[in-house]
Amino acid sequence: MNAEKKDLVIIGGGPAGLSAAIYARRSLLDAVTLEREALGGQMILTSEIDNYPGVPNADGFGLVEAMQAQAEGLGARIELDPVESLELAGESGRFLVRAAGGTYDAASVIVAAGAQPRHAGFDGEERFQGHGVSYCATCDGMFYRNKHVFVIGGGNSAAEEALFLARLASKVTVVVRKDHLRAQAAIVEELERNERVELRLMTSVVALDGGELPSSIALRDNRTGKTTVETYDEGSFGVFVLVGRVPETSLLEGLVDLDEAGYALTDDRMATRTPGLFVAGDARAKPLRQIVTAAADGAVAATSAAAYLGLPVEG
Ligand SMILES: Cc1cc2nc3c(=O)[nH]c(=O)nc-3n(C[C@H](O)[C@H](O)[C@H](O)COP(=O)(O)OP(=O)(O)OC[C@H]3O[C@@H](n4cnc5c(N)ncnc54)[C@H](O)[C@@H]3O)c2cc1C
């Protein structure tokens, strides 16, 4: 086997991975960043990025291009190459990273593979993604100011995001397929008290239809099985799918402890229980999953990797 030796392999080219690539170069690490599909990760799932300091109303692609240019300008090597496995190379403490296009023998690894929003699975969900279907209320809520939004999901984060949306939207219809919400009683009470919120229990969204933007929504009553189609002016409403996220932690099996939802447990230096293996961004257990926190994690992880390798670090 012909494995290329590296100080550091960064898995994932979202904001956490790209920020790690920038900080790895600042420590003069010989690193490579491997991205499975397209640079930017979840940043390219939305037309407008909110809440990234200094770049109001950024478009996702523009921000990714700027991060990539900054990393490559410093000499970072970034490859489009999906990683298929990650393992410890015997007792050496080094890692074997197998990607479709090559194998790496790495002294340290940062996994910045992110998380995917869980999809609800109704007809039209993919078609209207970013144009009527959103997976992040904090990010996209502003686009629905004074509009009607449907929230799919009955867990704590769906309920909290529904309350957040009720401050912006004219009406929030929370659609829950069971006869109760899973969210904590206090949050459910708050939803019930909120005049802008309507709860539709035992209901599922089965389809969205329209032109550029959605203009109709089909809802099934799970008690009777009957589906009703509601029509609205095109673009006057949106659907937030808030049924959880799926962390991309399959590569970490056996190497890293995970919480009950599957997120990687790290310390505040992004270190895991395996020396030399760091996790940054949405894949790790943390209170806020946004671009700014992913970029911060990537910076800390690369600096921790440099320290682990005995190199002088900033800060
Ligand atoms: C619709 C939507 C809108 C959002 N809007 C905002 C917003 O306005 N503001 C904000 O701050 N945040 C927003 N977010 C959240 C933000 O995008 C994420 O918190 C952030 O992108 C997480 O960064 P990350 O680098 O940890 O992971 P990701 O962005 O998920 O990137 C992970 C990358 O790793 C790659 N990868 C996974 N597995 C492998 C593998 N085996 N090999 C190689 N590569 C792999 C993936 O392809 C992906 O590119 C939004 C999220 C969504 C879904």
Side-chain angles (χ1 to χ4, degrees):
M1 178 196 48
N2 211 354
E4 193 180 332
K5 279 203 164 190
K6 287 279 160 209
D7 293 334
L8 171 65
V9 171
I10 300 164
I11 302 173
L18 291 173
S19 167
I22 290 169
Y23 276 79
R25 283 308 300 154
R26 289 176 69 90
S27 293
L28 298 179
L29 290 177
D30 178 17
V32 62
T33 301
L34 303 172
E35 165 55 44
R36 179 176 60 190
E37 286 162 19
L39 285 183
Q42 295 168 67
M43 283 165 77
I44 56 173
L45 291 182
T46 181
S47 49
E48 197 171 305
I49 298 286
D50 276 334
N51 311 324
Y52 193 72
V55 198
N57 312 321
D59 82 286
F61 284 100
L63 201 52
V64 174
E65 273 172 16
M67 288 183 183
Q68 179 184 4
Q70 190 176 359
E72 289 181 338
L74 288 166
R77 183 177 145 204
I78 300 170
E79 307 268 345
L80 276 185
D81 194 3
V83 173
E84 290 163 351
S85 69
L86 167 66
E87 62 194 82
L88 274 168
E91 301 292 304
S92 66
R94 294 181 67 89
F95 298 88
L96 214 52
V97 182
R98 285 201 177 83
T103 301
Y104 297 89
D105 167 2
S108 63
V109 171
I110 296 173
V111 174
Q116 309 273 354
R118 202 185 293 278
H119 286 205
F122 55 83
D123 283 350
E125 183 172 2
E126 315 296 323
R127 174 180 160 198
F128 291 110
Q129 192 170 303
H131 311 275
V133 173
S134 170
Y135 297 88
C136 176
T138 325
C139 323
D140 297 339
M142 288 301 277
F143 304 127
Y144 295 93
R145 190 178 273 278
N146 299 323
K147 294 186 179 179
H148 181 184
V149 298
F150 290 82
V151 168
I152 303 178
N156 274 329
S157 60
E160 276 167 7
E161 299 213 28
L163 285 170
F164 167 77
L165 287 166
R167 301 209 296 264
L168 304 164
S170 55
K171 180 175 176 185
V172 178
T173 301
V174 179
V175 181
V176 182
R177 70 192 154 97
K178 297 202 173 140
D179 62 358
H180 64 281
L181 280 82
R182 276 182 296 110
Q184 285 165 352
I187 308 175
V188 176
E189 258 180 48
E190 231 183 298
L191 277 177
E192 286 168 345
R193 273 200 311 270
N194 193 308
E195 284 180 356
R196 291 194 189 175
V197 176
E198 172 198 29
L199 293 181
R200 285 208 202 165
L201 304 179
M202 294 294 284
T203 304
S204 299
V205 173
V206 288
L208 269 193
D209 208 352
E212 281 277 288
L213 298 167
S215 60
S216 75
I217 181 164
L219 297 153
R220 185 182 59 228
D221 181 327
N222 292 331
R223 283 189 193 91
T224 61
K226 194 175 158 222
T227 296
T228 315
V229 178
E230 298 182 3
T231 51
Y232 298 92
D233 290 339
E234 188 169 315
S236 68
F237 77 100
V239 177
F240 284 82
V241 180
L242 302 172
V243 292
R245 290 193 178 219
V246 192
E248 285 276 0
T249 45
S250 53
L251 291 172
L252 298 171
E253 230 163 85
L255 296 170
V256 169
D257 292 326
L258 306 176
D259 71 7
E260 60 287 353
Y263 291 96
L265 298 177
T266 68
D267 65 13
D268 60 5
R269 292 168 190 270
M270 309 301 133
T272 67
R273 74 166 156 83
T274 300
L277 178 57
F278 303 87
V279 179
D282 275 16
R284 76 181 191 96
K286 61 180 192 173
L288 180 66
R289 295 192 173 83
Q290 291 275 277
I291 295 163
V292 67
T293 60
D297 284 1
V300 172
T303 309
S304 299
Y308 170 77
L309 297 173
L311 294 165
V313 292
E314 304 173 75

